[in-house]
Coordinates of all heavy atoms in Angstrom, one line a residue:
M1 N 5.7 10.8 -29.8 CA 6.1 10.3 -31.1 C 7.6 10.8 -31.4 O 7.9 12.0 -31.2 CB 5.2 10.9 -32.2 CG 5.5 10.5 -33.6 SD 4.3 11.2 -34.7 CE 3.6 9.6 -35.3
P2 N 8.5 9.9 -31.8 CA 9.9 10.2 -32.0 C 10.0 11.3 -33.1 O 9.3 11.2 -34.1 CB 10.6 8.9 -32.4 CG 9.5 7.9 -32.3 CD 8.2 8.5 -32.0
R3 N 11.0 12.1 -32.9 CA 11.2 13.1 -33.9 C 12.1 12.5 -35.0 O 13.0 11.8 -34.8 CB 12.0 14.2 -33.3 CG 11.8 15.6 -33.9 CD 12.4 16.6 -33.1 NE 13.8 16.6 -33.2 CZ 14.6 17.5 -32.6 NH1 14.1 18.4 -31.8 NH2 15.9 17.4 -32.7
E4 N 11.8 12.8 -36.3 CA 12.6 12.3 -37.4 C 13.9 13.0 -37.5 O 14.0 14.3 -37.3 CB 11.9 12.5 -38.7 CG 10.9 11.4 -39.0 CD 10.4 11.5 -40.4 OE1 11.2 11.7 -41.4 OE2 9.2 11.4 -40.6
R5 N 15.0 12.3 -37.7 CA 16.3 12.9 -37.9 C 16.6 13.2 -39.4 O 16.2 12.3 -40.2 CB 17.4 12.0 -37.4 CG 17.5 11.9 -36.0 CD 18.7 11.0 -35.6 NE 18.9 11.0 -34.2 CZ 19.8 10.3 -33.6 NH1 20.5 9.4 -34.2 NH2 20.0 10.4 -32.3
K6 N 17.2 14.3 -39.6 CA 17.5 14.6 -41.0 C 18.8 13.9 -41.3 O 19.7 13.7 -40.4 CB 17.6 16.1 -41.3 CG 18.7 16.8 -40.5 CD 18.8 18.2 -41.0 CE 20.0 18.8 -40.3 NZ 20.3 20.2 -40.7
P7 N 19.0 13.5 -42.5 CA 20.2 12.8 -42.9 C 21.4 13.7 -42.8 O 21.3 14.9 -43.0 CB 20.0 12.4 -44.4 CG 18.7 12.7 -44.7 CD 18.0 13.5 -43.6
K8 N 22.6 13.1 -42.3 CA 23.8 13.9 -42.2 C 24.3 14.2 -43.5 O 24.4 13.4 -44.5 CB 24.8 13.2 -41.4 CG 24.4 13.1 -39.9 CD 25.6 12.6 -39.1 CE 25.3 12.5 -37.7 NZ 26.4 12.1 -36.9
S9 N 24.9 15.5 -43.7 CA 25.6 15.9 -44.9 C 27.0 15.2 -44.9 O 27.4 14.7 -43.9 CB 25.7 17.4 -45.0 OG 26.6 17.8 -44.0
D10 N 27.5 15.2 -46.0 CA 28.9 14.7 -46.2 C 29.9 15.5 -45.3 O 30.8 14.9 -44.7 CB 29.4 14.8 -47.6 CG 28.7 13.8 -48.5 OD1 28.1 12.9 -48.0 OD2 28.7 13.9 -49.8
L11 N 29.7 16.7 -45.1 CA 30.6 17.5 -44.3 C 30.4 17.2 -42.8 O 31.4 17.0 -42.0 CB 30.3 19.0 -44.5 CG 31.3 20.0 -43.7 CD1 32.7 19.7 -44.2 CD2 30.9 21.4 -44.0
E12 N 29.1 16.9 -42.4 CA 28.9 16.5 -41.0 C 29.5 15.1 -40.7 O 30.1 14.9 -39.7 CB 27.4 16.4 -40.7 CG 26.7 17.8 -40.6 CD 25.2 17.7 -40.6 OE1 24.6 16.9 -41.3 OE2 24.7 18.5 -39.8
K13 N 29.4 14.2 -41.7 CA 30.0 12.9 -41.6 C 31.5 13.0 -41.4 O 32.1 12.3 -40.7 CB 29.6 12.0 -42.8 CG 28.2 11.6 -42.8 CD 27.9 10.8 -44.1 CE 26.4 10.5 -44.2 NZ 26.1 9.7 -45.5
L14 N 32.1 13.8 -42.2 CA 33.6 14.0 -42.1 C 33.9 14.6 -40.8 O 34.9 14.1 -40.2 CB 34.0 15.0 -43.3 CG 35.5 15.4 -43.4 CD1 36.2 14.1 -43.7 CD2 35.7 16.4 -44.4
H15 N 33.3 15.6 -40.2 CA 33.5 16.1 -38.9 C 33.4 15.0 -37.9 O 34.2 14.9 -36.9 CB 32.6 17.3 -38.6 CG 32.9 18.5 -39.3 ND1 34.1 19.2 -39.1 CD2 32.3 19.2 -40.3 CE1 34.2 20.3 -39.9 NE2 33.1 20.3 -40.7
D16 N 32.4 14.1 -38.0 CA 32.2 13.0 -37.0 C 33.4 12.1 -37.0 O 33.9 11.7 -36.0 CB 30.9 12.3 -37.3 CG 29.7 13.0 -36.9 OD1 29.8 14.1 -36.2 OD2 28.6 12.6 -37.3
L17 N 33.9 11.7 -38.3 CA 35.0 10.9 -38.4 C 36.3 11.5 -37.8 O 37.1 10.8 -37.2 CB 35.3 10.5 -39.9 CG 34.3 9.5 -40.5 CD1 34.5 9.4 -42.0 CD2 34.4 8.2 -39.8
E18 N 36.5 12.7 -38.1 CA 37.7 13.5 -37.5 C 37.6 13.5 -36.0 O 38.6 13.3 -35.4 CB 37.7 14.9 -38.1 CG 38.1 15.0 -39.5 CD 38.0 16.4 -40.1 OE1 37.6 17.3 -39.4 OE2 38.4 16.5 -41.3
R19 N 36.5 13.8 -35.4 CA 36.4 13.7 -34.0 C 36.6 12.3 -33.4 O 37.3 12.2 -32.4 CB 35.0 14.2 -33.6 CG 34.8 14.4 -32.1 CD 33.4 14.9 -31.6 NE 32.4 13.9 -31.9 CZ 31.4 14.0 -32.8 NH1 31.3 15.1 -33.5 NH2 30.5 13.1 -33.0
Q20 N 36.1 11.4 -34.1 CA 36.3 10.0 -33.7 C 37.8 9.6 -33.7 O 38.3 9.0 -32.8 CB 35.5 9.0 -34.6 CG 34.7 8.1 -33.8 CD 33.9 7.1 -34.8 OE1 34.0 7.2 -36.0 NE2 33.2 6.3 -34.1
K21 N 38.4 10.0 -34.8 CA 39.8 9.7 -34.9 C 40.7 10.4 -33.9 O 41.6 9.8 -33.3 CB 40.3 10.2 -36.3 CG 41.4 9.5 -36.9 CD 41.7 10.1 -38.3 CE 42.3 9.1 -39.2 NZ 42.6 9.7 -40.5
K22 N 40.3 11.6 -33.4 CA 41.0 12.3 -32.4 C 40.8 11.8 -31.0 O 41.7 11.7 -30.2 CB 40.6 13.8 -32.5 CG 41.2 14.7 -31.4 CD 40.7 16.1 -31.6 CE 41.2 16.9 -30.5 NZ 40.6 18.3 -30.4
N23 N 39.6 11.3 -30.7 CA 39.2 10.9 -29.4 C 39.1 9.5 -29.1 O 38.9 9.1 -27.9 CB 37.8 11.6 -29.0 CG 37.9 13.1 -29.0 OD1 38.8 13.6 -28.5 ND2 37.0 13.8 -29.6
Y24 N 39.2 8.6 -30.1 CA 39.0 7.2 -29.8 C 40.2 6.4 -30.4 O 40.8 6.8 -31.4 CB 37.7 6.6 -30.5 CG 36.5 7.2 -29.8 CD1 35.9 8.4 -30.2 CD2 35.8 6.4 -28.8 CE1 34.8 8.8 -29.5 CE2 34.7 6.9 -28.2 CZ 34.2 8.1 -28.5 OH 33.1 8.5 -27.9
V25 N 40.4 5.3 -29.8 CA 41.5 4.4 -30.3 C 41.0 2.9 -30.1 O 40.2 2.6 -29.2 CB 42.9 4.5 -29.6 CG1 42.7 4.2 -28.1 CG2 44.0 3.8 -30.2
N26 N 41.3 2.0 -31.1 CA 40.9 0.7 -31.0 C 42.0 -0.1 -30.2 O 43.2 0.0 -30.4 CB 40.8 0.0 -32.4 CG 39.5 0.4 -33.0 OD1 38.5 0.6 -32.4 ND2 39.6 0.6 -34.3
L27 N 41.6 -0.9 -29.3 CA 42.4 -1.9 -28.5 C 42.2 -3.2 -29.2 O 41.0 -3.7 -29.4 CB 42.1 -2.0 -27.1 CG 42.1 -0.7 -26.3 CD1 41.6 -0.9 -24.8 CD2 43.6 -0.2 -26.2
T28 N 43.2 -3.9 -29.6 CA 43.1 -5.2 -30.2 C 44.0 -6.3 -29.6 O 45.0 -6.0 -29.0 CB 43.4 -5.1 -31.7 OG1 44.8 -4.7 -31.8 CG2 42.6 -4.1 -32.4
C29 N 43.5 -7.5 -29.8 CA 44.3 -8.6 -29.4 C 44.0 -9.8 -30.3 O 42.8 -9.9 -30.7 CB 44.2 -9.0 -27.9 SG 42.6 -9.7 -27.5
A30 N 45.0 -10.6 -30.5 CA 44.7 -11.9 -31.3 C 44.5 -13.0 -30.4 O 45.2 -13.1 -29.4 CB 45.9 -12.1 -32.3
T31 N 43.5 -13.8 -30.6 CA 43.3 -15.0 -29.8 C 43.1 -16.2 -30.8 O 42.8 -16.1 -32.0 CB 42.1 -14.9 -28.9 OG1 40.9 -14.7 -29.8 CG2 42.1 -13.8 -28.0
K32 N 43.2 -17.4 -30.2 CA 42.9 -18.6 -31.0 C 41.4 -18.6 -31.4 O 40.6 -18.1 -30.6 CB 43.3 -19.9 -30.2 CG 44.8 -20.0 -30.0 CD 45.1 -21.3 -29.2 CE 46.6 -21.4 -29.1 NZ 46.9 -22.6 -28.3
R33 N 41.1 -19.2 -32.5 CA 39.8 -19.2 -32.9 C 38.8 -19.8 -31.9 O 37.7 -19.3 -31.7 CB 39.7 -20.0 -34.2 CG 38.3 -20.0 -34.9 CD 38.3 -20.6 -36.3 NE 39.3 -20.0 -37.2 CZ 39.1 -18.9 -37.8 NH1 38.0 -18.2 -37.7 NH2 40.0 -18.4 -38.7
D34 N 39.2 -21.0 -31.3 CA 38.3 -21.6 -30.3 C 38.1 -20.7 -29.1 O 37.0 -20.7 -28.5 CB 38.8 -23.0 -29.9 CG 40.2 -23.0 -29.3 OD1 41.0 -22.1 -29.6 OD2 40.6 -23.9 -28.5
E35 N 39.2 -20.0 -28.7 CA 39.0 -19.0 -27.6 C 38.0 -17.9 -27.9 O 37.1 -17.5 -27.1 CB 40.3 -18.4 -27.1 CG 41.2 -19.4 -26.5 CD 42.6 -18.8 -26.3 OE1 43.1 -17.8 -27.1 OE2 43.3 -19.2 -25.3
A36 N 38.1 -17.4 -29.1 CA 37.3 -16.3 -29.6 C 35.8 -16.8 -29.7 O 34.9 -16.1 -29.2 CB 37.7 -15.8 -31.0
E37 N 35.6 -18.0 -30.2 CA 34.2 -18.5 -30.3 C 33.7 -18.8 -28.9 O 32.5 -18.5 -28.7 CB 34.2 -19.8 -31.1 CG 34.5 -19.5 -32.6 CD 34.7 -20.8 -33.4 OE1 34.7 -21.9 -32.9 OE2 35.0 -20.6 -34.6
A38 N 34.5 -19.2 -28.0 CA 34.0 -19.5 -26.6 C 33.6 -18.2 -26.0 O 32.6 -18.1 -25.3 CB 35.0 -20.2 -25.9
F39 N 34.4 -17.1 -26.2 CA 34.1 -15.8 -25.6 C 32.8 -15.3 -26.2 O 32.0 -14.7 -25.5 CB 35.2 -14.9 -25.8 CG 35.1 -13.6 -25.0 CD1 35.0 -13.5 -23.7 CD2 34.9 -12.4 -25.8 CE1 34.8 -12.3 -23.0 CE2 34.8 -11.2 -25.1 CZ 34.7 -11.1 -23.7
R40 N 32.7 -15.4 -27.5 CA 31.4 -14.9 -28.2 C 30.2 -15.6 -27.6 O 29.2 -15.0 -27.4 CB 31.5 -15.1 -29.7 CG 32.4 -14.2 -30.4 CD 32.3 -14.2 -32.0 NE 33.1 -13.4 -32.6 CZ 34.3 -13.8 -33.2 NH1 34.6 -15.1 -33.3 NH2 35.1 -12.9 -33.7
S41 N 30.4 -16.9 -27.4 CA 29.2 -17.7 -26.8 C 29.0 -17.2 -25.3 O 27.8 -17.1 -24.9 CB 29.6 -19.2 -26.8 OG 29.7 -19.7 -28.1
W42 N 30.0 -16.9 -24.6 CA 29.9 -16.5 -23.2 C 29.1 -15.1 -23.2 O 28.2 -14.9 -22.4 CB 31.3 -16.3 -22.6 CG 31.3 -15.8 -21.2 CD1 31.2 -16.6 -20.1 CD2 31.4 -14.5 -20.7 NE1 31.2 -15.9 -18.9 CE2 31.4 -14.5 -19.3 CE3 31.5 -13.2 -21.4 CZ2 31.5 -13.4 -18.6 CZ3 31.5 -12.1 -20.5 CH2 31.5 -12.2 -19.2
C43 N 29.5 -14.3 -24.2 CA 28.8 -13.0 -24.2 C 27.4 -13.1 -24.6 O 26.5 -12.5 -24.0 CB 29.5 -12.0 -25.2 SG 31.2 -11.5 -24.7
A44 N 27.1 -14.0 -25.6 CA 25.8 -14.1 -26.1 C 24.9 -14.7 -25.0 O 23.7 -14.3 -24.9 CB 25.7 -15.1 -27.3
A45 N 25.4 -15.6 -24.2 CA 24.6 -16.2 -23.1 C 24.2 -15.1 -22.0 O 23.2 -15.3 -21.4 CB 25.4 -17.3 -22.4
R46 N 24.9 -14.1 -22.0 CA 24.7 -13.0 -21.1 C 24.0 -11.8 -21.7 O 23.8 -10.7 -21.1 CB 26.0 -12.5 -20.4 CG 26.4 -13.6 -19.4 CD 28.0 -13.4 -19.1 NE 28.4 -14.5 -18.2 CZ 28.5 -15.7 -18.5 NH1 28.4 -16.2 -19.7 NH2 29.0 -16.6 -17.5
G47 N 23.7 -11.9 -23.0 CA 23.0 -10.9 -23.8 C 23.9 -9.7 -24.0 O 23.4 -8.5 -24.1
M48 N 25.2 -9.9 -24.2 CA 26.1 -8.8 -24.4 C 26.8 -9.0 -25.7 O 27.0 -10.1 -26.1 CB 27.2 -8.8 -23.3 CG 26.8 -8.6 -21.9 SD 28.1 -8.7 -20.7 CE 28.9 -7.1 -21.0
S49 N 27.2 -7.9 -26.3 CA 28.1 -8.0 -27.4 C 29.6 -8.1 -26.9 O 29.8 -7.8 -25.8 CB 28.0 -6.7 -28.3 OG 28.5 -5.5 -27.6
V50 N 30.4 -8.6 -27.8 CA 31.8 -8.7 -27.4 C 32.4 -7.4 -27.1 O 33.1 -7.2 -26.1 CB 32.6 -9.4 -28.6 CG1 34.1 -9.3 -28.3 CG2 32.1 -10.8 -28.8
R51 N 32.0 -6.4 -27.9 CA 32.5 -5.0 -27.6 C 32.1 -4.5 -26.3 O 32.9 -4.0 -25.5 CB 31.9 -4.0 -28.8 CG 32.4 -2.7 -28.5 CD 31.4 -1.7 -29.4 NE 31.8 -0.3 -29.2 CZ 31.3 0.3 -28.1 NH1 30.5 -0.3 -27.2 NH2 31.6 1.6 -27.9
A52 N 30.8 -4.8 -25.9 CA 30.3 -4.3 -24.6 C 31.0 -5.0 -23.4 O 31.4 -4.3 -22.5 CB 28.8 -4.4 -24.5
A53 N 31.2 -6.3 -23.6 CA 31.9 -7.0 -22.5 C 33.4 -6.6 -22.4 O 33.8 -6.4 -21.2 CB 31.9 -8.5 -22.9
L54 N 34.1 -6.3 -23.5 CA 35.4 -5.9 -23.4 C 35.5 -4.4 -22.8 O 36.4 -4.2 -22.0 CB 36.1 -6.0 -24.7 CG 36.3 -7.4 -25.3 CD1 36.9 -7.4 -26.7 CD2 37.3 -8.2 -24.4
L55 N 34.6 -3.6 -23.2 CA 34.6 -2.2 -22.7 C 34.4 -2.2 -21.2 O 35.0 -1.5 -20.5 CB 33.6 -1.4 -23.5 CG 33.6 0.1 -23.3 CD1 35.0 0.7 -23.5 CD2 32.6 0.7 -24.2
D56 N 33.4 -3.0 -20.8 CA 33.1 -3.2 -19.3 C 34.4 -3.6 -18.6 O 34.7 -3.0 -17.5 CB 32.0 -4.1 -19.0 CG 30.6 -3.6 -19.4 OD1 30.5 -2.3 -19.6 OD2 29.7 -4.4 -19.4
Y57 N 35.1 -4.5 -19.1 CA 36.3 -5.0 -18.4 C 37.4 -3.9 -18.4 O 38.0 -3.7 -17.3 CB 36.8 -6.3 -19.1 CG 38.1 -6.8 -18.5 CD1 38.0 -7.5 -17.3 CD2 39.3 -6.7 -19.1 CE1 39.2 -8.0 -16.6 CE2 40.5 -7.1 -18.5 CZ 40.4 -7.8 -17.3 OH 41.5 -8.2 -16.6
V58 N 37.5 -3.3 -19.5 CA 38.6 -2.2 -19.5 C 38.2 -1.1 -18.4 O 39.1 -0.7 -17.6 CB 38.7 -1.6 -20.9 CG1 39.5 -0.3 -20.9 CG2 39.3 -2.5 -21.8
R59 N 37.0 -0.7 -18.4 CA 36.6 0.3 -17.5 C 36.7 -0.2 -16.0 O 37.0 0.6 -15.1 CB 35.1 0.8 -17.7 CG 35.1 1.6 -19.0 CD 33.7 2.0 -19.4 NE 33.7 2.9 -20.6 CZ 32.7 3.1 -21.3 NH1 31.5 2.5 -21.0 NH2 32.8 3.9 -22.4
E60 N 36.4 -1.4 -15.8 CA 36.6 -2.0 -14.5 C 38.0 -2.0 -14.0 O 38.4 -1.6 -12.9 CB 36.0 -3.5 -14.4 CG 36.1 -4.1 -13.1 CD 35.5 -5.5 -13.1 OE1 34.5 -5.7 -13.8 OE2 36.2 -6.4 -12.5
C61 N 38.9 -2.4 -15.0 CA 40.4 -2.3 -14.6 C 40.9 -1.0 -14.3 O 41.7 -0.7 -13.4 CB 41.1 -2.9 -15.8 SG 40.9 -4.6 -16.0
I62 N 40.4 0.0 -15.1 CA 40.8 1.5 -14.8 C 40.4 1.9 -13.5 O 41.1 2.6 -12.7 CB 40.3 2.3 -15.9 CG1 40.9 2.0 -17.3 CG2 40.5 3.8 -15.6 CD1 40.3 2.7 -18.4
R63 N 39.2 1.5 -13.1 CA 38.7 2.0 -11.7 C 39.4 1.3 -10.6 O 39.4 1.9 -9.5 CB 37.2 1.5 -11.6 CG 36.2 2.5 -12.2 CD 34.8 2.2 -11.8 NE 34.2 1.8 -13.1 CZ 33.7 0.6 -13.4 NH1 33.5 -0.3 -12.6 NH2 33.2 0.4 -14.7
E64 N 40.1 0.2 -10.8 CA 40.8 -0.4 -9.8 C 42.1 0.2 -9.4 O 42.7 -0.1 -8.4 CB 41.2 -1.9 -10.2 CG 40.0 -2.8 -10.3 CD 40.3 -4.2 -10.7 OE1 41.5 -4.4 -11.0 OE2 39.4 -5.0 -10.9
K65 N 42.6 1.2 -10.1 CA 43.8 1.9 -9.8 C 43.8 2.5 -8.5 O 42.9 3.1 -7.9 CB 44.1 3.0 -10.9 CG 44.5 2.5 -12.2 CD 44.9 3.8 -13.1 CE 45.4 3.3 -14.4 NZ 45.7 4.4 -15.3

């Protein structure tokens, strides 16, 4: 049986946000609407989110070095 998680306090949420800010960065790009919709469809057909597909691609590129 899964263990119940206690709700995070405001202080814990603040620490999580600070850690995220320090260790993560968003990569962005602008695309035409039809390209974005086509990519979303491509991802959905493969059962992936756009985020997961892009993250996989970034990690694959880094490994190619």
Side-chain angles (χ1 to χ4, degrees):
M1 181 177 244
R3 208 170 73 181
E4 275 191 45
R5 286 186 171 171
K6 66 177 185 173
K8 288 187 177 185
S9 69
D10 289 342
L11 187 57
E12 289 172 317
K13 289 177 187 178
L14 180 62
H15 286 292
D16 286 348
L17 285 174
E18 288 173 354
R19 187 180 66 245
Q20 230 179 357
K21 209 177 208 181
K22 179 181 173 187
N23 295 317
Y24 290 87
V25 65
N26 285 324
L27 300 174
T28 61
C29 71
T31 62
K32 292 182 179 179
R33 186 172 305 277
D34 59 333
E35 291 173 330
E37 290 171 1
F39 186 66
R40 284 189 185 107
S41 295
W42 182 88
C43 292
R46 287 158 181 76
M48 301 176 76
S49 67
V50 170
R51 180 195 173 281
L54 293 172
L55 190 54
D56 284 349
Y57 180 72
V58 168
R59 289 177 175 163
E60 184 180 317
C61 290
I62 291 169
R63 273 186 251 121
E64 289 178 1
K65 283 186 179 180

